[in-house]
Amino acid sequence: MIDTASIAATVQALRAVADQLEEAPLGAMRRMRLKDAAYVAGVSEAQMRKRCEDNRFGIEPGGYGFKNGARWEVVIAPFVDTLPVSALRRVNSVNRARMRE
Protein backbone atom coordinates (compact mmCIF):
# COMPACT_ATOMS: atom_id res chain seq x y z
CA MET A 1 0.00 0.00 0.00
CA ILE A 2 1.06 3.54 -0.66
CA ASP A 3 1.04 5.74 2.39
CA THR A 4 -0.54 9.20 2.54
CA ALA A 5 2.81 11.01 2.67
CA SER A 6 3.93 9.31 -0.55
CA ILE A 7 0.70 10.25 -2.32
CA ALA A 8 1.01 13.85 -1.12
CA ALA A 9 4.61 14.03 -2.33
CA THR A 10 3.61 12.67 -5.74
CA VAL A 11 0.77 15.17 -6.07
CA GLN A 12 3.13 17.98 -5.10
CA ALA A 13 5.66 16.83 -7.72
CA LEU A 14 2.92 16.72 -10.39
CA ARG A 15 1.79 20.24 -9.51
CA ALA A 16 5.36 21.55 -9.55
CA VAL A 17 6.07 20.06 -12.99
CA ALA A 18 2.79 21.42 -14.38
CA ASP A 19 3.50 24.88 -12.95
CA GLN A 20 7.03 24.91 -14.37
CA LEU A 21 5.79 23.92 -17.82
CA GLU A 22 3.07 26.54 -17.73
CA GLU A 23 5.34 29.36 -16.54
CA ALA A 24 8.36 28.54 -18.71
CA PRO A 25 8.97 30.80 -21.69
CA LEU A 26 8.75 29.28 -25.15
CA GLY A 27 11.99 27.88 -26.47
CA ALA A 28 14.79 26.13 -24.63
CA MET A 29 13.08 26.05 -21.23
CA ARG A 30 10.45 23.72 -22.64
CA ARG A 31 13.15 21.25 -23.66
CA MET A 32 15.79 19.44 -21.65
CA ARG A 33 19.19 18.06 -22.52
CA LEU A 34 19.42 14.41 -23.50
CA LYS A 35 21.70 13.75 -20.53
CA ASP A 36 19.10 15.12 -18.09
CA ALA A 37 16.30 13.16 -19.76
CA ALA A 38 18.34 9.96 -19.49
CA TYR A 39 18.81 10.60 -15.76
CA VAL A 40 15.08 11.24 -15.30
CA ALA A 41 14.10 8.10 -17.22
CA GLY A 42 16.76 6.00 -15.49
CA VAL A 43 18.42 4.89 -18.74
CA SER A 44 21.79 5.46 -20.40
CA GLU A 45 22.35 8.36 -22.77
CA ALA A 46 22.61 5.92 -25.69
CA GLN A 47 19.24 4.40 -24.79
CA MET A 48 17.72 7.87 -24.49
CA ARG A 49 19.15 8.86 -27.88
CA LYS A 50 17.53 5.75 -29.41
CA ARG A 51 14.22 6.63 -27.75
CA CYS A 52 14.45 10.14 -29.20
CA GLU A 53 15.10 8.75 -32.67
CA ASP A 54 12.09 6.44 -32.33
CA ASN A 55 9.81 9.15 -30.89
CA ARG A 56 10.48 12.29 -32.90
CA PHE A 57 8.58 15.39 -31.81
CA GLY A 58 6.11 16.53 -34.45
CA ILE A 59 6.41 13.31 -36.44
CA GLU A 60 5.34 10.51 -34.08
CA PRO A 61 2.17 10.88 -31.99
CA GLY A 62 3.36 11.76 -28.48
CA GLY A 63 6.96 12.06 -29.71
CA TYR A 64 9.46 13.97 -27.62
CA GLY A 65 12.83 13.71 -29.42
CA PHE A 66 13.88 17.06 -30.89
CA LYS A 67 16.96 17.36 -33.10
CA ASN A 68 18.69 20.68 -32.39
CA GLY A 69 21.46 20.84 -34.94
CA ALA A 70 23.61 17.80 -34.23
CA ARG A 71 22.26 17.28 -30.70
CA TRP A 72 19.12 15.60 -29.44
CA GLU A 73 16.96 17.40 -26.92
CA VAL A 74 13.77 16.21 -25.24
CA VAL A 75 10.51 18.16 -25.33
CA ILE A 76 9.40 18.09 -21.71
CA ALA A 77 5.59 17.92 -21.91
CA PRO A 78 5.24 14.77 -24.09
CA PHE A 79 8.26 13.20 -22.35
CA VAL A 80 6.70 13.58 -18.90
CA ASP A 81 3.60 11.85 -20.25
CA THR A 82 5.67 8.70 -20.90
CA LEU A 83 7.26 8.53 -17.45
CA PRO A 84 6.14 6.57 -14.43
CA VAL A 85 4.88 8.74 -11.59
CA SER A 86 7.94 7.86 -9.51
CA ALA A 87 10.19 9.74 -11.97
CA LEU A 88 8.38 13.06 -11.61
CA ARG A 89 10.50 14.10 -8.64
CA ARG A 90 13.61 13.76 -10.83
CA VAL A 91 11.96 15.96 -13.50
CA ASN A 92 11.32 18.50 -10.79
CA SER A 93 14.93 18.45 -9.56
CA VAL A 94 16.32 18.82 -13.10
CA ASN A 95 14.02 21.76 -13.83
CA ARG A 96 14.92 23.51 -10.58
CA ALA A 97 18.63 23.05 -11.28
CA ARG A 98 18.24 24.51 -14.79
CA MET A 99 16.33 27.53 -13.49
CA ARG A 100 19.21 28.32 -11.12
CA GLU A 101 21.70 28.40 -14.03
Side-chain angles (χ1 to χ4, degrees):
M1 295 275 339
I2 299 176
D3 62 354
T4 305
S6 179
I7 292 171
T10 300
V11 169
Q12 184 178 3
L14 279 167
R15 284 187 182 138
V17 169
D19 290 344
Q20 289 169 0
L21 289 172
E22 185 176 285
E23 294 171 5
L26 292 174
M29 289 303 292
R30 295 193 186 255
R31 295 191 304 260
M32 71 172 56
R33 297 179 304 177
L34 182 99
K35 182 177 185 174
D36 293 335
Y39 162 74
V40 167
V43 299
S44 70
E45 289 182 50
Q47 289 171 317
M48 192 69 227
R49 193 172 299 107
K50 176 70 173 139
R51 289 182 181 188
C52 286
E53 291 169 358
D54 293 342
N55 296 291
R56 294 186 73 133
F57 179 72
I59 297 173
E60 298 293 325
Y64 50 79
F66 182 83
K67 191 80 166 190
N68 187 9
R71 296 179 183 254
W72 282 101
E73 292 181 341
V74 175
V75 181
I76 296 173
F79 176 61
V80 167
D81 194 36
T82 67
L83 295 173
V85 173
S86 61
L88 294 177
R89 291 183 194 158
R90 290 191 299 261
V91 172
N92 213 5
S93 68
V94 166
N95 281 342
R96 272 190 258 137
R98 289 184 63 212
M99 290 181 162
R100 279 187 240 132
E101 293 177 355

